[in-house]
Amino acid sequence: QSGKFTYDPGFMSTASCQSAITYIDGDKGELLYRGYPIEQLAVQCDFLETCYLLLNGELPNKQQKDTFTNTVTRHTMVHEQMQFFFRGFRRDAHPMSVLVGTVGALASFYHDSLDINDPAQREISAIRLIAKMPTLVAMAYKYSIGQPFVYPRNDLSYSANFMRMMFGNPCEEYKVNDVLVRALDRILILHADHEQNASTSTVRLAGSSGANPFACIAAGIACLWGPAHGGANEAALNMLKEIGTPENIPDFIAKVKDKNSGVKLMGFGHRVYKNFDPRAKLMRETCYEVLNELGLQNDPLFALAMQLEKIALEDDYFVSRKLYPNVDFYSGIVQSALGIPVSLFTGIFAMARTIGWIAQWNEMIADPEQKIGRPRQLYIGAPRRDVPSIDKR
Ligand code: SDX
């Protein structure tokens, strides 16, 4: 991919910003991180290499990768006081509510990295957020099941550390399974960034006012929580469980076609992709690898999902509306197979997207021309002249 991409003026008139981080071609089903195809990055790189690429613009060489990995690893612990924030939540609080609260609270511990005009402080904020998200997500899970928090370890990879913090406990050592760790790493890569989606635009708008990066990421987490966005993986799995068996697919499809039902085919459709979401194909392959590794290749939900996808892709209702599986359609099944509870799916999405959010935030803050975001509106109310006294209303 040499040279610049060219856009039609119509597209440019709707663009909210310019960025060199991620490129999507919705018609071709193409996704590039810093110019590299997602299909190659997801297979040849690990998540921290992808984080380095998104943040710095180039893939790291061996020495840069080791230094970056070492720095992130040594920031995976959170301040010991952070544990007390969890105690304020109900045990059954949705993990996304816990993450909005605890990530925002990180700002109260890192006054040495809140001057967003200092590139070094922006970098250490990015490192802290990349490093601490897995710890906070795992802490939210442990708190919800009443188990003690498991501290990160410096001798494990990013994804292995997370799996151990999630599923390890003081009574028995967690056995790292490299296939499952590799699958999680790929899930994180596939979710790392996606141009100006709703949550990234939220982070940019919050950051444009000069708010600190921890508060901006907390705002992104809040936006991602919505079922039309990051909450879709949770909704897609619940949808598959509701359908139950392949025999029920025709009735469900009929319900989706009935506009009055308000039922959507969760994990299908996209604001930008009007072709296959390239991440969906990679997620389906990862799903198959994990289920194979676990001896679950006959997993009924996976079989149901593939059957539903096949039927939908042959149905003119979906084809005519250019509705194809998106990244969320299979991610729920593979996360379930990894032992991740449904309520935590969007938390994993937030953990992965933190690098995309903070890289885009950094790109915006580093631009000396950037100003506070200020979307305008089309006023559809009616101007009125005289305020009536209360007895005349
Ligand atoms: C993500 O922006 C990003 O990049 C987001 C994301 C990222 O990485 O950040 O990719 C992550 O959010 C993926 C999307 C996850 N959401 C879902 O899977 C929820 C289900 N999908 C839909 O809610 C919907 O497809 C949206 C919200 C994703 C897009 O909605 P749009 O813009 O309304 O879709 P559209 O304009 O392409 O719709 C065309 C038609 C409409 O019907 P008509 O008015 O033409 O009759 O298709 C219908 C829509 O109502 N439609 C669906 C549908 N999605 C759109 N009908 C049934 N099931 C669906 N899933």
Side-chain angles (χ1 to χ4, degrees):
Q1 305 276 352
S2 60
K4 292 272 184 208
F5 293 103
T6 53
Y7 295 106
D8 69 75
F11 175 90
M12 291 308 288
S13 66
T14 58
S16 60
C17 68
Q18 59 184 29
S19 171
I21 297 175
T22 293
Y23 172 75
I24 300 174
D25 185 319
D27 295 325
K28 291 185 195 157
E30 192 176 44
L31 170 58
L32 311 177
Y33 288 168
R34 296 286 189 179
Y36 293 116
I38 189 70
E39 291 82 356
Q40 293 182 38
L41 290 170
V43 172
Q44 293 173 232
C45 296
D46 66 24
F47 179 61
L48 285 188
E49 280 177 293
T50 308
C51 288
Y52 186 98
L53 170 67
L54 289 169
L55 202 53
N56 300 300
E58 297 297 339
L59 281 166
N61 60 34
K62 176 87 176 62
Q63 191 264 323
Q64 290 164 331
K65 178 180 176 181
D66 292 347
T67 305
F68 185 73
T69 301
N70 197 29
T71 307
V72 169
T73 302
R74 274 155 181 71
H75 283 86
T76 46
M77 267 207 301
V78 293
H79 192 290
E80 196 61 4
Q81 296 279 108
M82 282 297 290
Q83 63 179 298
F84 301 115
F85 283 103
F86 290 83
R87 298 213 167 91
F89 290 98
R90 287 168 47 128
R91 290 277 181 185
D92 62 353
H94 195 290
M96 290 299 271
S97 63
V98 176
L99 288 174
V100 169
T102 51
V103 171
L106 284 176
S108 61
F109 292 93
Y110 301 116
H111 294 286
D112 63 334
S113 60
L114 297 184
D115 173 5
I116 63 171
N117 299 309
D118 176 352
Q121 291 193 35
R122 291 205 301 272
E123 185 182 20
I124 187 59
S125 295
I127 295 280
R128 281 174 166 150
L129 281 156
I130 297 165
K132 297 178 194 310
M133 276 303 279
T135 309
L136 292 174
V137 172
M139 288 174 81
Y141 174 60
K142 286 302 198 187
Y143 181 72
S144 73
I145 58 174
Q147 282 192 7
F149 299 137
V150 174
Y151 284 84
R153 273 186 16 194
N154 290 349
D155 61 341
L156 293 176
S157 71
Y158 188 88
S159 292
N161 227 343
F162 175 69
M163 296 287 270
R164 182 177 168 278
M165 288 190 283
M166 280 284 290
F167 303 116
N169 63 61
C171 309
E172 60 184 325
E173 194 37 49
Y174 176 73
K175 291 182 195 60
V176 174
N177 176 319
D178 290 337
V179 173
L180 305 189
V181 166
R182 179 71 198 124
L184 176 66
D185 227 51
R186 189 175 296 173
I187 290 169
L188 299 180
I189 292 171
L190 294 177
H191 286 87
D193 193 43
H194 211 241
E195 206 219 56
Q196 302 313 315
N197 57 86
S199 53
T200 299
S201 300
T202 302
V203 171
R204 276 183 173 257
L205 198 54
S208 72
S209 74
N212 74 75
F214 304 99
C216 296
I217 299 303
I221 294 171
C223 177
L224 185 72
W225 190 358
H229 189 9
N233 49 24
E234 182 177 343
L237 191 82
N238 291 336
M239 172 190 74
L240 290 169
K241 288 179 177 171
E242 180 198 332
I243 295 171
T245 62
E247 293 69 40
N248 297 335
I249 290 177
D251 284 352
F252 184 80
I253 294 272
K255 224 191 290 182
V256 170
K257 291 178 179 177
D258 170 10
K259 286 284 183 189
N260 300 321
S261 72
V263 174
K264 294 247 185 199
L265 191 52
M266 300 311 280
F268 261 67
H270 200 273
R271 296 297 278 132
V272 176
Y273 289 124
K274 300 309 169 191
N275 192 324
F276 242 86
D277 179 339
R279 302 168 297 176
K281 292 179 193 169
L282 290 157
M283 194 63 81
R284 184 175 54 204
E285 288 161 18
T286 306
C287 203
Y288 186 73
E289 284 166 22
V290 168
L291 293 172
N292 235 5
E293 170 68 15
L294 296 172
L296 300 172
Q297 50 274 56
N298 300 320
D299 177 274
L301 277 186
F302 185 53
L304 180 66
M306 290 203 292
Q307 183 67 4
L308 179 56
E309 176 186 352
K310 183 175 179 303
I311 292 172
L313 294 181
E314 291 165 358
D315 186 312
D316 186 53
Y317 179 89
F318 300 100
V319 175
S320 65
R321 291 170 170 79
K322 297 183 178 180
L323 301 177
Y324 296 93
N326 59 50
V327 67
D328 293 304
F329 189 62
Y330 285 100
S331 74
I333 301 172
V334 62
Q335 289 188 62
S336 267
L338 292 175
I340 294 162
V342 178
S343 63
L344 210 63
F345 287 176
T346 315
I348 302 291
F349 195 151
M351 183 168 110
R353 187 54 57 89
T354 292
I355 177 56
W357 289 330
I358 203 70
Q360 298 242 6
W361 168 83
N362 186 54
E363 180 186 61
M364 175 186 72
I365 300 298
D367 174 3
E369 303 297 314
Q370 77 93 16
K371 293 182 173 23
I372 185 168
R374 180 57 174 88
R376 289 308 309 275
Q377 63 171 27
L378 183 65
Y379 180 63
I380 54 171
R384 288 187 278 189
R385 296 288 163 240
D386 306 314
V387 175
S389 60
I390 191 158
D391 54 0
K392 292 207 173 75
R393 290 175 203 162

